[in-house]
Amino acid sequence: MSNGTLAIDVDRIKKKYGAIEAVKLISLTVAPGEIVGLIGADGAGKTSTIKMICGLLAPDAGTIRVSGFDVRKSADEVKTRLGYMPQRFSLYSDLSVAENIRFFADLFKLTESQRAQRVARLYEFSKLGPFQKRRAGQLSGGMKQKLALCCNLIHEPEVMVLDEPTFGVDPVSRRELWDILGDLKKRGSGLLVSTAYMDEAELCDRVYLMHEGQFLCSGETKSLLANFEYQLLELFRDEIDFHVFEQLSSKIAQLTGVHSVNRFGDRLHVAFDRKMGSDRIVAEAEQFGFHSHPTHPVMEDVFVNRVQNNGN
Ligand code: ATP
């Protein structure tokens, strides 16, 4: 990639499937050495966006460049530079870990010396080395995802697009997969990662929050959190009773100045106007046996409040 060239440059694309507007005019960039998150719930339009970036789906309008090359007009140049890990990446379950990697090394026509060096590095950061002889079909879900990632990294793409790579993966493997992505970033690759897990947004340099085919907001993860516009109170109770959670939520939601009440596992997050003060919320919570304390926003707070603003 030459200096100043973006890893990914998406300019005003759209996609409809019949009457369904899956992607409604979005633009997005990824710089080299940057991890960018495409964050949204199922059906938000993430996969359609990613397929267009990888040249597998034609946009109805707009242009997409990968490492400076138009994905429609210069498909061959893009192919050698772009790695794509789809949501359901198919490994050969009867082949071993080593054989799967070899298959992809053959596909990308790697020389023997390139192969030896890269395979050693992939084993090192994926920790799959001790499992080289195990059949892919006999790996755990997390190991399968790591192997899929290794297969996609064997040609050392300068741009990598991953569609929900950690879906259904246990927390330890999720962390390991993110470590691998961090390693690629350090080596200068530009990465676009889609996920429905909001906590993963905080592992990205920048994010685009996607909802119903459009971006609700985008920016540096740190500044989206720092600029959260509401005050936030966390409510919790020693005994979990979902009926009481519901009752308290609807009571608090009716208070003037309360913007949203959301459940985060066994806790409630109340976002409210900074001018309002928390006394009325605390009093209401105490009536239902809840304790409370002020808390800092996480990305899910940013997301749910933006969705809420969008609906109003
Ligand atoms: P998921 O994680 O569930 O795949 P997503 O955020 O990736 O969700 P998309 O798969 O891009 O979202 O889907 C966006 C919208 O477009 C959804 O309403 C989906 O039902 C619709 N859609 C996707 N592919 C098609 C298709 N081939 N034909 C018709 N509608 C489609």
Side-chain angles (χ1 to χ4, degrees):
M1 238 176 310
S2 58
N3 272 350
T5 306
L6 287 167
I8 300 175
D9 186 3
V10 171
D11 188 23
R12 289 168 294 170
I13 57 165
K14 289 184 192 179
K15 183 70 198 176
K16 266 189 183 185
Y17 301 104
I20 300 171
E21 278 188 283
V23 177
K24 303 171 188 165
L25 198 69
I26 58 162
S27 297
L28 163 163
T29 58
V30 179
E34 187 180 40
I35 302 185
V36 173
L38 188 56
I39 319 282
D42 290 344
K46 305 183 299 296
T47 299
S48 302
T49 303
I50 281 178
K51 284 188 176 163
M52 288 189 273
I53 293 172
C54 296
L56 301 169
L57 186 67
D60 299 333
T63 54
I64 302 168
R65 290 180 174 276
V66 168
S67 296
F69 294 97
D70 186 302
V71 296
R72 310 293 305 166
K73 295 181 190 145
S74 312
D76 287 344
E77 278 87 350
V78 170
K79 212 162 105 189
T80 56
R81 291 167 174 84
L82 177 71
Y84 165 50
M85 183 156 139
Q87 229 170 58
R88 278 166 210 83
F89 179 75
S90 306
L91 293 162
Y92 293 91
S93 53
D94 289 339
L95 297 185
S96 68
V97 167
E99 287 163 343
N100 267 286
I101 295 179
R102 197 174 310 138
F103 176 85
F104 282 86
D106 289 344
L107 201 67
F108 289 106
K109 301 190 173 70
L110 298 192
T111 64
E112 277 310 319
S113 72
Q114 282 174 325
R115 214 174 267 244
Q117 211 182 33
R118 292 182 191 183
V119 168
R121 190 160 52 232
L122 287 173
Y123 280 150
E124 192 188 318
F125 61 46
S126 68
K127 303 191 174 70
L128 284 173
F131 305 98
Q132 288 175 48
K133 292 194 177 133
R134 190 177 289 186
R135 284 186 184 189
Q138 288 164 354
L139 296 173
S140 69
M143 285 162 114
K144 275 187 192 147
Q145 283 301 85
K146 283 193 281 184
L147 176 56
L149 191 51
C150 289
C151 292
N152 283 291
L153 292 178
I154 193 77
H155 71 301
E156 298 199 335
E158 54 194 43
V159 182
M160 186 78 204
V161 178
L162 304 104
D163 196 358
E164 302 198 23
T166 57
F167 179 75
V169 168
D170 68 85
V172 175
S173 300
R174 265 173 77 184
R175 172 51 68 182
E176 286 172 358
L177 275 160
W178 274 96
D179 286 346
I180 299 176
L181 303 186
D183 210 88
L184 290 171
K185 166 193 151 92
K186 270 193 225 135
R187 289 154 46 84
S189 298
L191 293 101
L192 180 69
V193 187
S194 84
T195 180
Y197 298 125
M198 297 289 156
D199 57 330
E200 293 190 335
E202 289 165 43
L203 302 168
C204 302
D205 299 307
R206 274 194 306 125
V207 290
Y208 292 83
L209 297 187
M210 193 167 199
H211 179 65
E212 295 179 352
Q214 53 193 339
F215 295 147
L216 295 177
C217 62
S218 63
E220 281 183 25
T221 311
K222 280 188 213 138
S223 67
L224 286 177
L225 293 171
N227 295 326
F228 186 63
E229 56 268 63
Y230 305 101
Q231 214 164 322
L232 204 60
L233 208 58
E234 184 168 74
L235 311 182
F236 52 100
R237 197 173 190 266
D238 301 329
E239 206 177 301
I240 297 166
D241 176 338
F242 294 122
H243 185 59
V244 179
F245 265 79
E246 294 291 312
Q247 281 182 319
L248 178 61
S249 296
S250 65
K251 278 264 182 178
I252 291 182
Q254 286 164 26
L255 296 175
T256 312
V258 168
H259 189 257
S260 71
V261 186
N262 291 292
R263 240 191 66 207
F264 282 64
D266 61 350
R267 282 152 197 254
L268 288 177
H269 276 197
V270 184
F272 56 101
D273 284 343
R274 293 190 176 273
K275 287 184 290 201
M276 173 188 172
S278 60
D279 294 356
R280 281 180 298 148
I281 303 168
V282 172
E284 202 67 69
E286 281 174 356
Q287 295 223 348
F288 286 83
F290 277 76
H291 312 287
S292 60
H293 58 209
T295 191
H296 295 294
V298 291
M299 195 48 78
E300 195 159 343
D301 292 304
V302 175
F303 187 76
V304 290
N305 282 285
R306 292 293 174 130
V307 170
Q308 191 121 346
N309 283 342
N310 193 51
N312 292 336

